[in-house]
Amino acid sequence: MRAYPIPLTAVSTVALAHSPPSPPFFSAHRPPTKPPHHFSSQLPIPDEKTQSSSEEGVFIEVTKLVGSSRRIRSKIGIEASLDTVWNILTDYEKLSDVIPALTVSKVVEKKDKFARLYQIGQQNLPFGLKFNAKGIIDCYEKDLEIFPSGRKREIQFKMVEGDFIVFEGTWLIEQFNEAFLGEEFHTTLSYSVDLKPKMWLPVRLVESRLSIEVKTNLLSIREEAKRVTSALLRHVKVRSRRVTPTTIVTWEDTIGVLFRIANYPVAAST
């Protein structure tokens, strides 16, 4: 394997448990926001203070922007098809079963290629402290793009209410053709987000927790994709064992019958 959310989701597990309460959510009654453009948000240009790391096949890069703003980019290799990873990410109400720190993931509104989610994330810390955050996130499912080298598909997301002033980014899934890599699957999952926490959130703590959460989320998605792929392969093998022998025998029997019928008049005439 060559070796990126929450997911649209609970990477936002970063508000202190004793933080001021968030205003009530009325998002179900608000019109969808416009899809976020690739990091054309309110955030300023990076000031070149960037830290990167690569552990367990997960690459993470955190760039410090002006003030408390941050940009996080990450990527992981996954031995599964693009469709498998896509189905995991877009099964929104089951994301809390895949992402350890995501305690709630509910679909508030669903339209064609659009979903509005209500999510709550939580993380236990030493000394009895907890990180938890909630938010309403608009998700835009983009069409599949096909290229000579493979195909890709992405989900753009933007928090419209919650514990961040800015929280928007992209999930990008890319699957490369076997002819280019010599492997059955080589899929990468990338996660990019621009964020700016509210004033009462300690930005250094937020930055640290987000980096940990992004890594955990990507590893969890990779494991789920691996589980789904293995289950599918087992199912195919079982069906093959059940169906193939019967199909072969039936075909051979049919050939024999046709052969005898075809030669019967010749034998009778002699």
Side-chain angles (χ1 to χ4, degrees):
M1 182 189 302
R2 297 176 179 84
Y4 225 153
I6 152 177
L8 321 171
T9 85
V11 155
S12 44
T13 58
V14 292
L16 288 174
H18 57 272
S19 59
S22 301
F25 291 101
F26 302 104
S27 296
H29 308 291
R30 292 177 51 178
T33 58
K34 294 182 179 180
H37 299 290
H38 270 294
F39 306 113
S40 59
S41 67
Q42 313 163 34
L43 298 178
I45 298 174
D47 63 2
E48 303 302 327
K49 295 181 179 179
T50 299
Q51 296 180 344
S52 61
S53 63
S54 182
E55 298 179 359
E56 300 182 67
V58 182
F59 170 80
I60 299 178
E61 179 183 86
V62 180
T63 301
K64 181 180 179 181
L65 308 178
V66 175
S68 61
S69 301
R70 297 292 186 271
R71 174 170 295 161
I72 298 177
R73 296 190 300 171
S74 59
K75 179 179 289 189
I76 190 171
I78 300 179
E79 294 305 315
S81 68
L82 179 150
D83 294 330
T84 296
V85 181
W86 178 267
N87 291 336
I88 292 171
L89 290 179
T90 56
D91 194 358
Y92 300 115
E93 296 213 340
K94 290 186 178 179
L95 278 175
S96 56
D97 297 331
V98 178
I99 305 300
L102 184 60
T103 58
V104 174
S105 182
K106 297 295 182 182
V107 176
V108 177
E109 181 182 352
K110 186 72 174 73
K111 297 180 181 179
D112 184 39
K113 300 178 184 178
F114 170 80
R116 172 164 287 177
L117 311 179
Y118 173 58
Q119 295 182 331
I120 300 176
Q122 180 172 292
Q123 185 71 232
N124 294 323
L125 296 176
F127 310 111
L129 294 177
K130 291 184 178 181
F131 277 106
N132 52 71
K134 56 186 176 181
I136 296 291
I137 301 173
D138 284 355
C139 304
Y140 300 86
E141 303 169 2
K142 299 302 180 179
D143 292 329
L144 180 68
E145 297 182 59
I146 300 177
F147 306 93
S149 60
R151 54 193 188 136
K152 71 175 184 178
R153 198 169 185 185
E154 68 179 27
I155 304 171
Q156 297 178 359
F157 60 90
K158 181 176 182 178
M159 180 178 287
V160 295
E161 294 183 30
D163 294 322
F164 290 82
I165 298 172
V166 176
F167 190 91
E168 64 182 57
T170 303
W171 286 100
L172 173 63
I173 312 168
E174 297 175 284
Q175 180 179 328
F176 302 96
N177 290 335
E178 180 181 359
F180 282 78
L181 298 169
E183 300 178 7
E184 182 178 4
F185 294 123
H186 182 66
T187 302
T188 60
L189 174 61
S190 301
Y191 174 78
S192 303
V193 63
D194 280 357
L195 60 94
K196 182 178 182 180
K198 292 187 176 179
M199 294 296 295
W200 43 267
L201 283 174
V203 64
R204 289 188 178 181
L205 194 55
V206 167
E207 176 184 333
S208 173
R209 293 312 306 174
L210 280 177
S211 297
I212 294 172
E213 286 303 309
V214 168
K215 176 184 175 181
T216 300
N217 294 339
L218 293 179
L219 289 172
S220 298
I221 293 169
R222 185 175 71 183
E223 286 304 307
E224 178 64 10
K226 180 180 178 181
R227 185 194 67 79
V228 171
T229 300
S230 297
L232 179 61
L233 290 175
R234 286 195 301 270
H235 178 69
V236 170
K237 288 179 180 178
V238 169
R239 289 194 61 186
S240 177
R241 287 197 296 268
R242 291 176 179 174
V243 175
T244 301
T246 303
T247 304
I248 293 174
V249 170
T250 302
W251 179 246
E252 290 176 343
D253 289 346
T254 302
I255 292 292
V257 170
L258 292 175
F259 179 81
R260 287 193 296 272
I261 291 174
N263 287 276
Y264 179 76
V266 176
S269 63
T270 59

